Amino acid sequence: MNLKFIKRNIFTFVKILSTMLITSAIGLESWNIYAVITNSNLPSSLNPIFWIERFAMTSHFIESIIAAFYATSRKKTPIKYATYTFFVGTIGLLELFDQENDY
């Protein structure tokens, strides 16, 4: 097997998984905000999960800001690439800075 083929397959798998997890994190945080607004109690066993999803969303947000800043130098639309990077994470930045994709 070719290393490029393996890298492409792993990247595809991680992008799909990351998109699903970030979307779930947004839903989980929405549920938490709804519970706070309606004075509902959430199980305390979910607190570690909330901290993990907040860390993940914060790091993805920082990555999307970096992607938006550098997207114009790579001839990409900043808001579009920032949104893409927010959902796929570090792989979006790796693709942005990949020298083989420069045209």
Side-chain angles (χ1 to χ4, degrees):
M1 288 195 131
N2 189 350
L3 186 61
K4 239 181 211 183
F5 178 74
I6 294 171
K7 178 181 168 184
R8 189 173 1 124
N9 285 342
I10 290 174
F11 274 20
T12 302
F13 175 73
V14 171
K15 286 192 278 189
I16 292 169
L17 183 65
S18 179
T19 302
M20 289 181 350
L21 289 175
I22 287 296
T23 304
S24 299
I26 292 170
L28 192 61
E29 193 61 38
S30 300
W31 179 37
N32 187 31
I33 292 170
Y34 175 77
V36 168
I37 291 172
T38 61
N39 293 325
S40 301
N41 290 330
L42 294 176
S44 62
S45 61
L46 290 178
N47 284 340
I49 294 173
F50 282 123
W51 284 106
I52 291 169
E53 64 93 359
R54 287 177 186 144
F55 175 76
M57 288 194 31
T58 302
S59 61
H60 278 236
F61 182 70
I62 292 169
E63 289 171 344
S64 69
I65 290 172
I66 294 168
F69 184 74
Y70 285 106
T72 54
S73 68
R74 303 292 182 167
K75 295 179 178 60
K76 307 234 186 241
T77 309
I79 190 72
K80 187 176 176 182
Y81 210 80
T83 305
Y84 171 72
T85 303
F86 177 76
F87 283 101
V88 299
T90 305
I91 291 179
L93 285 178
L94 291 174
E95 290 174 348
L96 181 64
F97 293 120
D98 188 12
Q99 296 300 319
E100 294 176 354
N101 291 335
D102 287 343
Y103 299 106

